[in-house]
């Protein structure tokens, strides 16, 4: 307890040259706050008779400097996704193609003709940038880029249906992912919900019976992250569109996944066979289709709205457009990604496409190499598409299973997360599993190093 007397005052600590220099650079207030916190920590230790030996002033100054350094470090950083979930919302969804990163960086570091018409030498519009490619890939007449799909859906409903009724099937009043609830978005847009049908069955006649002079539009939501099995029914999009046309009403679809459904030599995984595409919806006569840029499209976070020119123009003129517009980096990355989709052999440069198409034999080879360097074993398993696309869909993969004689699966998993770079793995039946489908081949050696580190000196595995 006598040691308490040795704690110098904050003012004295501030006179240490290193601390004074830090205060000059980083500001007086945060440095004082850090010193106080470190001094408190020392007092707590001293009370428990656990104070570190040596001069408390040195210990406090060191802790305070460490804390200040940590406070400057970025909190957002890259991780290795070894979960096998391709579109992992918590891990930032689609990784970008190199071409998309390069284009985004190019416009980010300087000025760009974002809203400038180079030919006319006058003010232009940002929406021209991705529009041509979006139309070419989906068959639509016009397109809008918003900040994300939730924003896009909100914008469309506010622009076309505020104060009026929107007809939706009860089976589609769903929550998608972390908190996108169709009824709540609807309420925020000022549109009034007119529910029809039941949770499992809604017929065309249910929609027809609900149409009145209060109706603004018919909304269709792709139930992307769940599936109602069994006794279900809902009208085909083309029949719903025909009904809406008879009453001069638009049909708006929240499609979600952004699956383009383009023909691919060698084919797409079986898991995507039933995934509806944006082009299918446009072809079925849907007036406006909204989807995410960073799901199966494999691009940046964005909300894309494609459809009929007159409606797109009407949506674009709404004041909320200004609040949900995308920035120049997003447009650049999006254009580059769409360009890769159009140039078929280059398409596999989009990481999502590469992950979807990577043959299980290639994964087997990579998994064997990793397993043998770690003493782990290779197992058959399933990757998932995730991100609210193709519910319950799975793609065959190979998993590296890791065990340790000295650590539990939970301890290994936590050590992997604490590593640099952090590795996010799954645990199944008390085993840590690494799925290489979502690990870029360039990351294999970093993954190996992180796993060795996490296992600690006490590996090999049992
Ligand atoms: C993913 C998804 C959303 C939310 O999209 P964000 O881009 O995350 O805003 C909305 N609706 C559907 C059908 C989805 O699949």
């Amino acid at each position: 307890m006598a040691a308490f007397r040795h704690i110098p005052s904050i003012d004295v600590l501030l006179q240490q040259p290193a601390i004074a220099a830090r205060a000059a650079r980083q500001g007086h207030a945060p440095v004082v706050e850090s010193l106080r916190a470190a001094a408190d920590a020392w007092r707590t230790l001293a009370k428990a008779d656990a104070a570190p030996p040596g001069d408390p002033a040195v210990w406090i100054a060191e802790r305070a400097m460490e804390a200040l350094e940590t406070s400057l470090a970025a909190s957002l950083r890259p991780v290795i996704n070894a979960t096998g979930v391709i579109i992992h919302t918590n891990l930032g969804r689609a990784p970008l193609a190199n071409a998309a990163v390069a284009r985004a960086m190019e416009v980010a570091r300087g000025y760009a003709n974002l809203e400038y018409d180079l030919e006319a030498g006058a003010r232009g519009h940002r929406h021209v940038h991705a529009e041509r490619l979006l139309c070419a890939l989906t068959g639509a007449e016009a397109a809008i880029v918003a900040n994300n799909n939730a924003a896009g859906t909100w914008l469309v409903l506010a622009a076309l249906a505020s104060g009026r009724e929107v007809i939706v099937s009860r089976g589609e009043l769903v929550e998608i992912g972390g908190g996108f609830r169709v009824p709540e978005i609807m309420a925020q847009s000022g549109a009034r919900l007119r529910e029809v049908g039941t949770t499992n069955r809604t017929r065309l006649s249910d929609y027809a019976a609900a149409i009145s002079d209060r109706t603004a539009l018919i909304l269709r939501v792709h139930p992307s992250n769940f599936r109602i099995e069994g006794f279900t029914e809902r009208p085909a999009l083309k029949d719903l569109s025909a009904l809406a046309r008879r009453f001069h009403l638009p049909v708006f679809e929240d499609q979600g996944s952004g699956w383009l459904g383009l023909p691919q030599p060698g084919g797409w995984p079986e898991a995507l066979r039933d995934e509806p595409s944006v082009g299918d919806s446009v072809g079925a006569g849907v007036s406006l289709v909204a989807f995410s840029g960073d799901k199966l499209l494999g691009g940046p976070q964005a909300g894309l709205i494609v459809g009929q020119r007159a409606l797109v123009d009407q949506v674009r003129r709404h004041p909320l457009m200004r609040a949900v517009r995308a920035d120049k980096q997003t447009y650049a990355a999006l254009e580059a990604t769409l360009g890769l989709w159009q140039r078929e052999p280059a398409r596999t440069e989009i990481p999502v496409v590469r992950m979807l198409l990577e043959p299980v034999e290639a994964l087997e080879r990579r998994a064997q190499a990793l397993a043998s360097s770690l003493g782990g074993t290779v197992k058959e398993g399933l990757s998932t598409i995730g991100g609210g696309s193709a519910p319950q869909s799975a793609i065959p993969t190979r998993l590296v299973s890791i065990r340790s004689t000295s650590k539990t699966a939970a301890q290994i998993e936590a050590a992997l997360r604490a590593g640099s770079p952090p590795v996010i793995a799954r645990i199944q039946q008390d085993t840590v599993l690494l799925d290489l489908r979502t690990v870029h081949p360039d990351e294999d050696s970093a993954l190996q190093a992180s796993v060795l580190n996490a296992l600690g000196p006490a590996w090999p595995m049992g």
Side-chain angles (χ1 to χ4, degrees):
M1 288 303 188
F4 272 62
R5 266 175 279 141
H6 301 311
I7 294 191
S9 71
I10 300 293
D11 283 339
V12 169
L13 287 166
L14 277 168
Q15 281 158 25
Q16 288 187 23
I19 293 179
R22 177 66 86 155
R25 271 196 323 242
Q26 212 169 330
H28 185 76
V31 172
V32 168
E33 196 186 312
S34 278
L35 288 169
R36 286 221 171 94
D40 285 347
W42 194 87
R43 273 188 212 99
T44 306
L45 287 170
K47 265 188 209 143
D49 271 335
D55 184 353
V58 173
W59 189 89
I60 289 166
E62 275 172 7
R63 290 294 95 60
M65 299 284 254
E66 267 169 30
L68 286 163
E69 205 46 57
T70 310
S71 75
L72 288 181
S75 112
L76 179 65
R77 55 203 181 117
V79 303
I80 293 179
N81 174 10
T83 64
V85 181
I86 296 176
I87 313 292
H88 199 308
T89 297
N90 300 154
L91 302 183
R93 292 204 184 147
L96 292 177
N98 286 337
V101 174
R103 294 280 294 108
M105 215 159 75
E106 209 176 15
V107 301
R109 57 161 35 118
Y111 297 101
N113 63 333
L114 181 63
E115 287 186 354
Y116 188 78
D117 184 335
L118 288 171
E119 255 174 63
R123 182 167 193 224
H125 296 282
R126 68 179 69 206
H127 62 251
V128 300
H129 298 299
E131 188 166 39
R132 191 175 34 78
L133 283 164
L134 279 168
C135 292
L137 287 162
T138 62
E141 294 168 8
I144 293 176
V145 182
N147 202 30
N148 54 29
N149 189 27
T153 302
W154 180 45
L155 174 68
V156 170
L157 292 173
L160 302 184
S162 183
R164 295 166 68 210
E165 283 183 5
V166 170
I167 304 177
V168 197
S169 161
R170 265 202 185 88
E172 296 171 11
L173 289 173
V174 295
E175 172 166 331
I176 292 156
F180 178 87
R181 288 188 168 167
V182 176
E184 287 173 4
I185 295 279
M186 186 93 76
Q188 291 301 320
S189 73
R192 281 199 303 275
L193 181 62
R194 178 79 165 87
E195 297 172 47
V196 295
T198 60
T199 308
N200 60 334
R201 303 193 83 173
T202 305
R203 298 186 181 83
L204 197 62
S205 55
D206 295 324
Y207 286 95
I211 294 174
S212 74
D213 55 8
R214 294 181 302 275
T215 310
L217 60 84
I218 295 176
L219 172 66
R220 173 89 148 200
V221 182
H222 179 43
S224 48
N225 56 350
F226 70 98
R227 188 165 275 169
I228 300 171
E229 303 277 356
F231 188 59
T232 65
E233 180 179 338
R234 60 177 199 161
L237 271 178
K238 118 176 126 25
D239 297 333
L240 196 58
S241 302
L243 173 75
R245 247 193 326 274
R246 277 221 313 277
F247 290 91
H248 304 287
L249 291 173
V251 175
F252 168 44
E253 185 190 23
D254 176 10
Q255 193 270 355
S257 77
W259 179 235
L260 292 174
L262 304 178
Q264 173 69 24
W268 294 107
E270 187 62 18
L272 284 166
R273 203 195 41 199
D274 294 331
E275 182 69 16
S277 78
V278 178
D280 289 343
S281 296
V282 172
V286 173
S287 325
L288 289 176
V289 187
F291 51 100
S292 298
D294 52 358
K295 291 183 177 173
L296 286 173
L297 196 72
Q301 178 189 302
L304 309 167
I305 303 160
V306 303
Q308 292 162 8
R309 163 70 57 197
L311 290 171
V312 164
D313 286 344
Q314 194 181 336
V315 170
R316 201 182 268 146
R317 282 193 299 269
H318 191 274
L320 268 180
M321 181 70 242
R322 181 68 167 70
V324 303
R325 70 184 188 185
D327 66 0
K328 60 180 176 172
Q329 290 91 264
T330 301
Y331 273 100
L334 181 63
E335 277 198 320
T337 307
L338 295 171
L340 290 173
W341 269 107
Q342 256 197 337
R343 288 190 286 275
E344 187 276 301
R347 196 181 285 165
T348 50
E349 291 169 28
I350 301 170
V352 166
V353 173
R354 182 184 51 72
M355 290 187 257
L356 287 171
L357 295 179
E358 183 153 2
V360 86
E361 299 76 36
L363 291 166
E364 169 85 34
R365 277 193 300 277
R366 290 170 58 201
Q368 288 295 357
L370 184 66
S372 68
S373 70
L374 299 170
T377 50
V378 176
K379 291 190 190 184
E380 293 189 4
L382 294 170
S383 311
T384 48
I385 295 177
S389 339
Q392 290 148 38
S393 66
I395 308 176
T397 192
R398 291 294 179 271
L399 305 167
V400 178
S401 140
I402 332 175
R403 283 166 188 280
S404 152
T405 45
S406 61
K407 284 183 175 167
T408 64
Q411 285 170 331
I412 299 172
E413 187 270 345
L416 284 170
R417 266 190 284 118
S420 185
V423 174
I424 316 300
R426 12 172 170 152
I427 299 185
Q428 234 164 10
Q429 291 163 342
D430 261 350
T431 316
V432 175
L433 297 174
L434 305 171
D435 186 340
L436 292 184
R437 186 177 291 282
T438 48
V439 177
H440 193 283
D442 289 353
E443 294 173 325
D444 281 0
S445 58
L447 174 63
Q448 182 197 355
S450 282
V451 176
L452 285 174
N453 235 336
L455 289 171
W459 75 293
M461 299 161 234

